[in-house]
Amino acid sequence: MAKKNIDWANLSFGYIKTDKRFVSNYSDGKWDEGAIIEDDMITMSECACVLQYAQTIFEGLKAYTTEDGRIVIFRPDLNAERLANSARRMEMPVFPEDKFVDAVVQTVKANADYVPPYGTGATLYVRPYMFGINPVIGVKPADDFQFRVFTTPVGPYFKGGAKPIVIKISDFDRAAPHGTGNIKAGLNYAMSLHAIVTAHEEGFAENMYLDARSRTKVEETGGANFLFVTKDNKIVTPKSDSILPSITRRSLMYVAKEYLGLEVEEREVYKDELKDFAECGLCGTAAVISPVGKINDHGEEICFPSGMEEMGPTTKKLYDTLTGIQMGRLEAPEGWIKVIE
Ligand code: PLP
Ligand code: COI
């Protein structure tokens, strides 16, 4: 195995084409066997359902090189389950969960030379996705679908890595009550693009979305859930039916309780409480835990005591424990780590 000649330590979160990808097609009511292929291009009808009506869903997970040189992936069974839930909500066929895990394993194995070496801070991001591919003009679901998995080596999602970021409270809504906020559909991200461009233009790294109904409760950002640390060191995360059930957040809540002995709470979090928290972080596969130093609420700054220089102490402990598990430095809970090779 010869690792690719990539400046691993300076990667950002961008797309780099890797050698192989997995493709499986659904037609006549069934999935084919699927295969690893080299061609990264997709040819489809101008009227494909995904192009006209955005019938597309996706997942995101990472492959890591552990301290002892193995390649592992983190909780892929939960991504398989979440993609299946997204498929049901979007009137798409479920890609069998065991086959999902197998497809991810095959794709990572086929691109092993792109898995960043241990200690570089980079990882191999894995993107499984599915879309409606046959022509559809009246509004209805496709009949034919394609499931694919590609990989790309990535660095930190936010520039500066572990440096705290400043975010703003958005005036746009991300997800409606009873909408699609709790699944990973491309449409949720399409409608956040204007909000993220606006936030970037104003100098903010991300948006905090509030609940669309009352605009009083914290939901999530465009690509991560929130974790807060109270002044008495309790971990609090927003509970809502319209946010994505983050695998990182669920894992961190377990880690906080079982590894760090902290009290954890999943509950509604009001915007008015933000000023009382000691630390704030964004958690997700891409974000890992990105510390938030300040939140701008229409010109008024909410500054966390952890400051703008470094991660707060509890966020740091959570970060070190989770990444320790992912990189094989700490023993993982049963079933969390799947060894690829
Ligand atoms: N929320 C949104 C909107 C996301 O896109 C993501 C990323 O997948 C997350 C939260 C974090 O989820 P996970 O930890 O499963 O990656
Ligand atoms: C992930 O963390 O995997 C995501 O899908 C978030 C996306 C904004 C990159």
Side-chain angles (χ1 to χ4, degrees):
M1 190 173 84
K3 287 283 174 195
K4 298 287 172 179
N5 185 18
I6 291 174
D7 183 7
W8 307 106
N10 289 307
L11 283 175
S12 60
F13 196 88
Y15 174 74
I16 295 173
K17 188 179 129 184
T18 57
D19 294 341
K20 308 274 174 67
R21 61 273 303 126
F22 179 89
V23 183
S24 175
N25 287 295
Y26 181 91
S27 64
D28 296 329
K30 55 183 185 311
W31 289 104
D32 67 13
E33 261 309 289
I36 292 285
I37 63 161
E38 291 193 354
D39 191 359
D40 61 317
M41 303 306 269
I42 301 171
T43 303
M44 66 178 84
S45 162
E46 61 188 358
C47 197
C49 193
V50 61
L51 298 180
Q52 302 308 324
Y53 301 128
Q55 196 182 22
T56 180
I57 55 177
F58 69 100
E59 272 305 319
L61 67 161
K62 283 174 170 173
Y64 309 82
T65 304
T66 59
E67 195 171 27
D68 61 1
R70 292 169 305 152
I71 295 175
V72 302
I73 50 176
F74 185 69
R75 311 192 76 179
D77 51 317
L78 297 189
N79 295 97
E81 184 186 35
R82 195 169 61 187
L83 190 81
N85 290 335
S86 299
R88 285 186 273 264
R89 176 67 174 80
M90 291 288 285
E91 290 296 334
M92 299 167 88
V94 166
F95 193 76
E97 293 180 32
D98 53 337
K99 290 201 165 166
F100 173 102
V101 174
D102 186 53
V104 168
V105 169
Q106 283 189 51
T107 317
V108 172
K109 228 179 224 175
N111 293 293
D113 297 350
Y114 288 94
V115 184
Y118 176 78
T120 57
T123 51
L124 189 72
Y125 185 70
V126 183
R127 173 53 65 85
Y129 60 116
M130 189 204 292
F131 51 93
I133 199 167
N134 63 292
V136 166
I137 193 70
V139 178
K140 65 178 178 92
D143 296 310
D144 300 340
F145 296 85
Q146 192 164 95
F147 169 82
R148 299 176 76 102
V149 186
F150 71 78
T151 61
T152 183
V154 294
Y157 191 67
F158 294 104
K159 270 199 279 294
K163 269 263 184 217
I165 55 171
V166 184
I167 65 172
K168 69 170 280 189
I169 297 186
S170 182
D171 287 324
F172 298 103
D173 294 322
R174 175 183 175 273
H178 314 294
T180 53
N182 60 349
I183 58 157
K184 215 160 160 56
L187 61 93
N188 292 333
Y189 300 81
M191 55 84 68
S192 76
L193 297 177
H194 180 61
I196 194 67
V197 169
T198 308
H200 287 164
E201 280 170 359
E202 294 170 356
F204 301 107
E206 250 294 0
N207 284 298
M208 167 182 275
Y209 294 103
L210 301 179
D211 73 295
R213 186 184 279 123
S214 74
R215 290 268 174 91
T216 59
K217 289 179 267 185
V218 175
E219 293 260 291
E220 60 176 330
T221 70
N225 283 180
F226 279 103
L227 273 191
F228 299 100
V229 183
T230 63
K231 289 192 174 131
D232 57 359
N233 219 22
K234 197 187 288 173
I235 309 298
V236 176
T237 192
K239 187 177 171 69
S240 162
D241 291 340
S242 45
I243 65 175
L244 193 76
S246 158
I247 293 163
T248 314
R249 184 251 300 164
R250 286 182 269 164
S251 305
L252 284 166
M253 295 299 269
Y254 182 90
V255 159
K257 192 159 174 261
E258 304 297 333
Y259 283 61
L260 302 176
L262 300 172
E263 213 177 307
V264 298
E265 227 174 49
E266 188 184 352
R267 62 163 169 86
E268 291 183 331
V269 173
Y270 285 85
K271 187 187 86 156
D272 289 349
E273 294 178 67
L274 289 172
K275 59 179 184 346
D276 302 326
F277 290 119
E279 299 175 36
C280 169
L282 308 184
C283 58
T285 299
V288 192
I289 313 182
S290 301
V292 176
K294 282 188 215 171
I295 301 175
N296 189 298
D297 180 8
H298 302 87
E300 197 177 306
E301 281 191 336
I302 299 160
C303 301
F304 296 104
S306 50
M308 287 303 298
E309 280 314 303
E310 51 190 40
M311 259 186 212
T314 301
T315 307
K316 176 90 170 77
K317 271 190 209 149
L318 285 168
Y319 179 92
D320 287 344
T321 312
L322 181 71
T323 54
I325 290 169
Q326 290 166 333
M327 310 271 179
R329 292 186 297 267
L330 292 174
E331 194 171 332
E334 179 76 29
W336 279 25
I337 298 293
K338 184 159 183 71
V339 178
I340 302 233
E341 59 179 48

